[in-house]
Amino acid sequence: MRIAVLNKDKCQPRQCSKECYKYCPRVRTGDETILFSEDDGKAVITESLCSGCGICVKKCQFGAIMIIGLPESLEYPTHRYGQNGFALYGLPVPQQGKVTGILGPNGIGKSTAVQILSGALIPNFGEEETSWEKVLSHYSGTALGDYFKLASSGSLKVSQKPQYVDLIPKAFKGKTSDLLNKANTSGRLDEVIEKLEMKDIMDRDIAALSGGELQKVAIAACIVKEADFYFFDEISSYLDIYQRINAARLIQDLAKEKNKSVLVVEHDLAILDMLADTVHLAYGTPAGYGVMTMPKSVRVGINQYIKGYLPEENIRIRDEAIRFETHPPKDGADVRTILSYDSFSKKFGDAFSLVAKGGSVKEGEVLGIVGPNGTGKSTFVKILAGVIEPDEGEVGIDVTISYKPQYIKADSDIRVRELLMEVADKFGTGYYETEIARPLRLDKLYDSYLTDLSGGELQRVAIAACLSREADFYILDEPSAHLDVEQRAIATRVITRFAESNGKTAMVVDHDIYMIDMISQRLIVFEGEPSISGVANAPTNMKDGMNKFLSNLDITFRRDEETKRPRVNNYDSRLDREQKEKGEYYYSEE
């Protein structure tokens, strides 16, 4: 079985010679496999006549066509966006009193599933016409049957947290307190403000808030609304690990103490692991089709996703597994030191001060940077990058630096290809295409304008642009933001290989423990009081660094026996207490 998917935005029949039609073997034999719509002139592919040869895919100069072979078990879609449109198979099942997670790549139909569950979209099962009567008949006797009865009657109350919180200032003008008081139909606002530590921003204007502050506002606004079904789309973006854990515990309380149905999409696997009770895996072809599996236990589901093989469905979703180091990386004492920096400090009036201890950087290594938001991590890397000057101390780094900032803005209305050609001395070379562009899947973005890219696409372009510049030292501030699990693993591999292959040094600031664990040879731990003062410790080995960092968090991690991925121990559990007594917050003795 196969489906044909046409991207109508990319299909430009007036600018091509209609190669898809001319070269189709079935058209040449007289079949009407490909026609052109009388309404908009776009191609229309009859899937029942398509032989799956893939010639039209290769001949289309705009990359508008996908011919996708589907697993035999898939017969009728749950919903499809018209002929040659995206198809979704299966739905997640919200459970009252529990947190249900969705784990899968971007563009796989998670938002479509939520629209259906919220009652905003009626599933059509691949047909032109649909109705709630068909839906109720289809799901009669299943776990979703009673749920859709409530949704179809219009009495289902839904509260949603959007993925892109930076759009909130465009939708709402006024103070934080105005927005949250308006949303507070449950009376939980005071409790949420305290647990999310939002007192300082309640009287501030929404337009003046940072990304992390907007994320907390979005989470709070979703929680304080009285509803039957709650949906949170990526709670971790812009939040540090402290704030992520606070938000996760608050959402768990919403499900368990308030007995609500909660659905969460999250790409930070450590947070999803501690937050969700069950998880649905989503797989398929982004923008082509998506499949939602039946619910799995969180540990089993995440492990299957990491391995890339789903045994119950008997399908491989990835060529190779995502791998984690079993032991902390070696100290690298025999590796050549390429630069050293002295202690320095920086003050911003009476508002904030940073003190950084001196350290050294080794050839070909990746240094991880962890710590709370507001303790000076971005200030630290900007000083190293020469963007700002310290008040005291000499940085003295006589090297060229390439810097990717935390917040990326697409101000220039230029195409991706033009940007990369502008900054990349080696653009188009074999190494560049093989080790950077192809793994980051930039080839499909080359002809897109920067202003048209999604957050994840823009992040991948920014990573490539940073690594494209000729430099000695590469600094990447939060490269995981807006990337899904697959893309984070790929970005990690690209950065690591780039540093090793070219003898370059990279410094990565991130809050995703999985990414820091996979990418770092050594660690710089930040401490201090957010927005008041920060201390940047000297680089240390991974074991000592993570123990210091996690002891500040008062949480412990263990290794999953099957995949060796980090997992958060339940607070005050036997293993949690034992590791704290030993001082082993991250790596248990082996």
Side-chain angles (χ1 to χ4, degrees):
M1 182 180 175
R2 69 181 62 86
I3 61 172
V5 179
L6 179 78
N7 187 324
K8 290 192 175 183
D9 291 334
K10 291 184 177 180
C11 180
Q12 303 293 334
R14 295 181 180 179
Q15 298 180 30
C16 70
S17 300
K18 299 183 178 180
E19 288 86 349
C20 58
Y21 178 85
K22 289 183 178 179
Y23 290 97
C24 176
R26 299 299 291 267
V27 170
R28 290 186 170 190
T29 61
D31 290 339
E32 294 183 338
T33 309
I34 299 179
L35 300 173
F36 293 90
S37 171
E38 294 181 0
D39 296 331
D40 56 13
K42 309 283 186 179
V44 178
I45 304 171
T46 305
E47 292 166 346
S48 59
L49 298 177
C50 176
S51 65
C53 65
I55 292 176
C56 60
V57 177
K58 296 177 181 178
K59 291 294 183 181
C60 178
Q61 58 183 295
F62 301 108
I65 301 174
M66 288 189 288
I67 305 295
I68 305 169
L70 298 180
E72 291 294 330
S73 58
L74 299 180
E75 190 171 0
Y76 299 107
T78 303
H79 186 79
R80 191 166 190 189
Y81 290 96
Q83 187 174 8
N84 301 147
F86 176 87
L88 174 67
Y89 296 83
L91 286 172
V93 184
Q95 299 180 61
Q96 194 168 4
K98 292 187 177 181
V99 179
T100 302
I102 302 179
L103 176 58
N106 291 328
I108 213 72
K110 299 188 290 291
S111 297
T112 297
V114 171
Q115 281 187 285
I116 292 173
L117 292 175
S118 67
L121 182 66
I122 305 176
N124 59 18
F125 307 110
E127 300 176 358
E128 290 185 9
E129 296 183 0
T130 187
S131 66
W132 279 118
E133 287 73 18
K134 288 183 180 179
V135 175
L136 295 176
S137 174
H138 181 87
Y139 288 106
S140 177
T142 69
L144 282 170
D146 293 336
Y147 181 89
F148 279 126
K149 284 181 183 178
L150 193 62
S152 62
S153 66
S155 58
L156 181 72
K157 296 179 181 179
V158 179
S159 182
Q160 297 187 43
K161 188 209 81 70
Q163 177 182 8
Y164 297 112
V165 297
D166 49 346
L167 299 179
I168 294 176
K170 296 181 180 179
F172 183 87
K173 306 297 182 184
K175 293 183 179 181
T176 303
S177 57
D178 297 334
L179 188 154
L180 294 181
N181 283 322
K182 185 178 180 180
N184 183 30
T185 56
S186 68
R188 293 190 287 263
L189 183 56
D190 291 340
E191 174 192 356
V192 171
I193 290 173
E194 182 180 352
K195 291 186 176 179
L196 289 180
E197 300 175 349
M198 298 175 60
K199 291 182 180 178
D200 294 339
I201 66 171
M202 292 301 291
D203 292 327
R204 290 171 56 188
D205 195 279
I206 287 289
L209 300 184
S210 68
E213 291 164 344
L214 285 172
Q215 184 70 271
K216 289 196 284 187
V217 169
I219 293 171
C222 183
I223 292 175
V224 301
K225 182 180 178 181
E226 185 60 39
D228 305 301
F229 171 53
Y230 293 81
F231 171 65
F232 296 86
D233 197 346
E234 292 190 38
I235 65 168
S236 63
S237 298
Y238 304 120
L239 297 185
D240 63 38
I241 186 67
Y242 299 79
Q243 297 163 337
R244 294 180 186 193
I245 290 174
N246 286 340
R249 288 172 176 163
L250 198 55
I251 293 170
Q252 282 181 318
D253 291 344
L254 178 67
K256 292 175 172 56
E257 295 182 9
K258 310 299 181 184
N259 199 32
K260 301 295 184 179
S261 299
V262 179
L263 189 65
V264 176
V265 174
E266 184 51 61
H267 299 303
D268 184 331
L269 294 183
I271 295 300
L272 182 66
D273 193 15
M274 70 170 288
L275 172 62
D277 297 296
T278 59
V279 65
H280 292 263
L281 303 186
Y283 66 90
T285 300
Y289 80 102
V291 181
M292 296 284 174
T293 69
M294 296 297 288
K296 303 172 186 282
S297 71
V298 177
R299 179 182 177 274
V300 169
I302 292 178
N303 284 355
Q304 288 182 4
Y305 193 82
I306 286 174
K307 289 180 177 180
Y309 176 68
L310 313 182
E312 291 88 356
E313 291 76 13
N314 191 26
I315 189 166
R316 179 162 291 282
I317 61 174
R318 195 183 311 107
D319 293 335
E320 57 184 33
I322 299 171
R323 303 190 184 280
F324 296 87
E325 293 286 343
T326 306
H327 300 280
K330 295 181 180 179
D331 212 359
D334 56 341
V335 180
R336 183 172 70 91
T337 297
I338 62 167
L339 63 90
S340 298
Y341 57 91
D342 299 327
S343 298
F344 61 85
S345 63
K346 178 70 177 178
K347 287 187 177 181
F348 294 90
D350 296 328
F352 177 78
S353 63
L354 169 68
V355 175
K357 299 177 182 179
S360 62
V361 178
K362 299 179 182 296
E363 185 181 72
E365 78 169 342
V366 180
L367 270 169
I369 298 181
V370 294
N373 280 339
T375 53
K377 296 187 300 297
S378 294
T379 299
F380 175 78
V381 296
K382 285 179 181 178
I383 289 175
L384 290 186
V387 176
I388 59 179
E389 295 291 330
D391 296 328
E392 296 181 7
E394 292 290 336
V395 177
I397 299 180
D398 188 20
V399 293
T400 53
I401 294 176
S402 179
Y403 173 59
K404 185 203 83 68
Q406 177 183 11
Y407 298 110
I408 308 166
K409 293 184 179 180
D411 294 329
S412 302
D413 194 15
I414 62 172
R415 297 182 190 272
V416 172
R417 188 189 304 274
E418 296 169 9
L419 170 72
L420 295 179
M421 289 182 69
E422 184 179 306
V423 300
D425 296 325
K426 43 191 174 291
F427 181 82
T429 64
Y431 174 85
Y432 184 89
E433 291 295 331
T434 304
E435 297 294 333
I436 297 179
R438 198 175 300 161
L440 292 176
R441 298 169 187 169
L442 300 181
D443 52 331
K444 294 182 179 180
L445 303 178
Y446 281 156
D447 294 322
S448 300
Y449 287 100
L450 294 178
T451 49
D452 294 334
L453 299 181
S454 67
E457 291 169 340
L458 193 60
Q459 186 70 260
R460 281 149 48 201
V461 170
I463 292 170
C466 178
L467 299 181
S468 298
R469 299 184 184 95
E470 191 60 44
D472 303 303
F473 195 21
Y474 295 81
I475 301 174
L476 298 100
D477 200 344
E478 292 201 43
S480 73
H482 301 305
L483 298 185
D484 60 39
V485 175
E486 301 256 2
Q487 293 165 347
R488 292 181 190 199
I490 290 169
T492 297
R493 189 163 58 247
V494 166
I495 295 168
T496 302
R497 286 183 179 178
F498 177 83
E500 292 176 350
S501 302
N502 297 281
K504 306 292 186 180
T505 300
M507 188 174 281
V508 176
V509 181
D510 215 283
H511 297 298
D512 187 323
I513 295 294
Y514 279 50
M515 188 169 196
I516 287 294
D517 181 64
M518 289 191 293
I519 204 171
S520 308
Q521 280 79 53
R522 291 193 298 155
L523 207 60
I524 298 177
V525 179
F526 275 69
E527 299 173 294
E529 190 172 353
S531 303
I532 296 176
S533 64
V535 176
N537 290 291
T540 185
N541 63 64
M542 282 292 291
K543 181 176 181 178
D544 293 342
M546 288 304 297
N547 277 332
K548 177 186 283 291
F549 175 54
L550 295 177
S551 65
N552 294 336
L553 278 171
D554 196 31
I555 63 172
T556 56
F557 275 68
R558 69 187 185 277
R559 291 285 187 184
D560 182 80
E561 295 179 359
E562 194 174 350
T563 61
K564 307 305 177 186
R565 65 183 173 90
R567 298 191 69 195
V568 181
N569 291 322
N570 291 329
Y571 185 75
D572 207 33
S573 64
R574 178 187 59 80
L575 193 56
D576 182 59
R577 293 194 304 269
E578 288 178 356
Q579 287 186 216
K580 286 177 179 176
E581 288 173 4
K582 295 178 182 179
E584 295 284 350
Y585 285 78
Y586 193 61
Y587 298 106
S588 58
E589 293 182 2
E590 300 181 8

